[in-house]
Amino acid sequence: MHVGIIMDGNGRWATSRGLARLVGHKRGASRVKDIVKNSPNLGVTTLTLYAFSTENWKRAAHEVEGLMKLFRGYMQNNLLELHDKNVRVRFLGDATPLAQDIRLQMEQLSGLTKDNTGLNLNIAINYGGRDEIIRATRSIAAKVLDGTLSVDAITEGTICDHMDTREQADPDLIIRTAGELRLSNFMIWQSAYSELMFPNVSWPDFTAEVYAECLEEFAGRVRRFGNADSN
Ligand code: IPE
Ligand code: IPE
Ligand code: MG
């Protein structure tokens, strides 16, 4: 079972309390550990967290810098514990525009945990579904040009194999907190048949109980994948 979470609402959580947006991001970041810890108990084998989109660079420089600081802190504080808990960490998105020290931390975390067999944790940073498709298209086109791939051999599987999520199953459930009813460029290829859920809490208030309720509701969903209803 693969769950994707669009961790939204940190800013509103803070401003509705008269606090700075970054206070909300800090509270949001502190929820991650608990949700990661509870995932295996809930039957989740892959968890993808949308942390920063390719569009989030449009925000004020100090907010972007504050978010980058939180990524650094999260990776530093959780490196050993994630490894100890047998979690395999991968990053989705284009790391190129990120600061060199952040990229090094990302490589260290994914390198250290690459042989772990517990929860698969994907962290999407500077991730955009359209950007991912562009990067996949470029690498497919390069193979066609150098003759290692023929145009007729391009299938759905070829596209999957060139996405950041290669070798991983599509998300079964995508949860977006804080009430917006959209994907905001999250896994637009992989979400073709994902169930969508919009719990009415902001990310800093997303507890293990709310998470469990989402999975319970998911268990009652009927997924047809285009088939006729079996009843
Ligand atoms: C989600 O919270 C965190 C990121 C997008 C990085 P927001 O910052 O989008 O919070 P709202 O939507 O403004 O409340
Ligand atoms: C989506 O949230 C991105 C992340 C949660 C990382 P946004 O807050 O950026 O999305 P919009 O702007 O409301 O669509
Ligand atoms: Mg938002």
Side-chain angles (χ1 to χ4, degrees), residues 5-9 12 21 49-53 55-56 59 124 127 176 180 182-186:
I5 306 184
I6 302 170
M7 306 184 290
D8 195 24
R12 279 164 283 167
R21 292 178 60 85
L49 299 176
Y50 197 13
F52 192 88
S53 76
E55 287 71 39
N56 286 147
R59 297 186 180 199
Y127 173 86
R176 180 173 188 146
E180 307 296 354
R182 53 178 173 259
L183 289 173
S184 302
N185 211 2
F186 181 66

Side-chain angles (χ1 to χ4, degrees), residues 59-161:
R59 297 186 180 199
H62 91 278
E63 181 170 351
V64 171
E65 204 32 67
L67 286 163
M68 295 298 155
K69 205 172 153 190
L70 287 169
F71 300 148
R72 287 184 177 96
Y74 176 79
M75 290 191 281
Q76 193 171 352
N77 298 333
N78 292 278
L79 174 92
L80 295 176
E81 190 178 332
L82 287 165
H83 186 44
D84 191 51
K85 294 256 156 58
N86 200 22
V87 176
R88 176 173 181 180
V89 183
R90 279 179 274 216
F91 291 92
L92 311 182
D94 178 10
T96 336
L98 300 173
Q100 181 66 14
D101 68 301
I102 295 186
R103 291 170 62 180
L104 274 172
Q105 278 187 293
M106 289 161 68
E107 281 164 26
Q108 193 186 12
L109 185 49
S110 52
L112 178 72
T113 61
K114 72 178 184 343
D115 296 321
N116 288 348
T117 54
L119 178 72
N120 287 300
L121 174 62
N122 297 317
I123 305 174
I125 298 182
N126 190 33
Y127 173 86
R130 288 187 172 184
D131 179 66
E132 183 186 31
I133 291 169
I134 292 166
R135 289 183 288 107
T137 306
R138 285 182 180 154
S139 50
I140 292 168
K143 287 180 187 174
V144 170
L145 264 184
D146 74 15
T148 53
L149 182 66
S150 79
V151 169
D152 294 340
I154 298 172
T155 61
E156 197 173 301
T158 315
I159 312 275
C160 290
D161 290 344

